[in-house]
Amino acid sequence: MNNERSKAEEDLRVIRSLMERATVYRAISAPAALVAGLLSIFAAGAIYRRPVHGRVFADVWLIVLALAVVTNAFFIWREARTDGRPFISSGMKLALRAIAPNLLIPAAVTVWFFTTGYKGAAEQELVVTWIAFYGLALLSTGLFAPRSLVYLGCSFLLSALAIPAIRNVIGDLPANLPNVAMGVTFGLYHLVYAVCAWPRERAEEIEQFAVE
């Protein structure tokens, strides 16, 4: 009982600390979102020019995911080193515990796609799952993350719900819809988020320097 109470108190302390540092994490997430957005736009454009399907389609986007994750980890590591905090902090552990459950189904669907799903041209099902659960992963951090991340998560989730609805209304959709959906969500949405969440202090310093 005492251990559970101590753990709950520790979680509350970590959540309070994360809420206090929300502005800092917002500043970190902006450049990471910019890189992820640019990578996604580049990948979507390349696939649009030279269409690929099945496993190759998934491979391309998983490479983009890996690069985006490494970039985000680098920005978090750099900020932690600047503040003299450990890279794998209690706050990161809490965030990972919140996000992890939302990664199980996408991981399972991805494995299914690589084994048998690709044979039925199931790129749309794969993409909808990725978009939806990425949105849910962002929403799961809403208790301590910046509000802008919650808005971004809602945008992803609503987009994932809209794709099947559009299919029911229109019927036959373009074959490149999965790629377009990835470019719009992981590309355009991240770029918009980066612009909106970019650290204002840096922008103000640039404007002041320009005036001088």
Side-chain angles (χ1 to χ4, degrees):
M1 186 67 178
N2 290 333
N3 291 335
E4 293 180 358
R5 182 176 179 180
S6 298
K7 185 176 183 300
E9 291 176 350
E10 175 64 15
D11 287 344
L12 287 174
R13 184 189 65 79
V14 173
I15 291 173
R16 188 179 299 111
S17 174
L18 288 173
M19 292 176 68
E20 292 172 352
R21 297 181 59 81
T23 303
V24 175
Y25 290 120
R26 185 169 181 260
I28 296 172
S29 63
L34 177 62
V35 173
L38 292 175
L39 288 172
S40 298
I41 292 293
F42 176 80
I47 294 175
Y48 185 82
R49 289 176 61 87
R50 298 187 63 180
V52 294
H53 303 282
R55 290 174 171 173
V56 178
F57 174 85
D59 284 336
V60 171
W61 285 107
L62 288 176
I63 291 172
V64 172
L65 170 64
L67 293 174
V69 169
V70 170
T71 301
N72 189 52
F74 167 74
F75 285 120
I76 294 176
W77 169 80
R78 188 178 66 175
E79 190 271 338
R81 188 184 65 171
T82 301
D83 287 357
R85 296 182 296 103
F87 172 62
I88 304 178
S89 61
S90 55
M92 177 181 285
K93 293 178 182 178
L94 181 64
L96 291 176
R97 288 208 307 268
I99 293 172
N102 297 292
L103 304 180
L104 297 178
I105 292 180
V109 171
T110 302
V111 171
W112 163 79
F113 182 84
F114 273 97
T115 53
T116 60
Y118 73 96
K119 298 178 181 178
E123 286 94 349
Q124 180 176 311
E125 287 77 5
L126 178 68
V127 164
V128 169
T129 302
W130 283 351
I131 295 172
F133 280 88
Y134 181 75
L136 289 174
L138 293 179
L139 290 174
S140 68
T141 65
L143 184 61
F144 47 81
R147 187 176 300 178
S148 54
L149 276 180
V150 176
Y151 293 153
L152 182 62
C154 289
S155 299
F156 272 84
L157 185 57
L158 292 175
S159 298
L161 295 174
I163 294 174
I166 293 174
R167 182 177 184 178
N168 291 333
V169 173
I170 299 178
D172 293 333
L173 292 173
N176 63 352
L177 176 65
N179 182 58
V180 172
M182 292 293 288
V184 170
T185 54
F186 288 95
L188 182 60
Y189 289 3
H190 276 136
L191 291 180
V192 172
Y193 173 84
V195 172
C196 295
W198 199 265
R200 293 292 181 264
E201 292 182 1
R202 184 176 300 176
E204 291 174 359
E205 289 176 1
I206 295 174
E207 291 178 1
Q208 183 178 357
F209 177 78
V211 171
E212 294 176 353

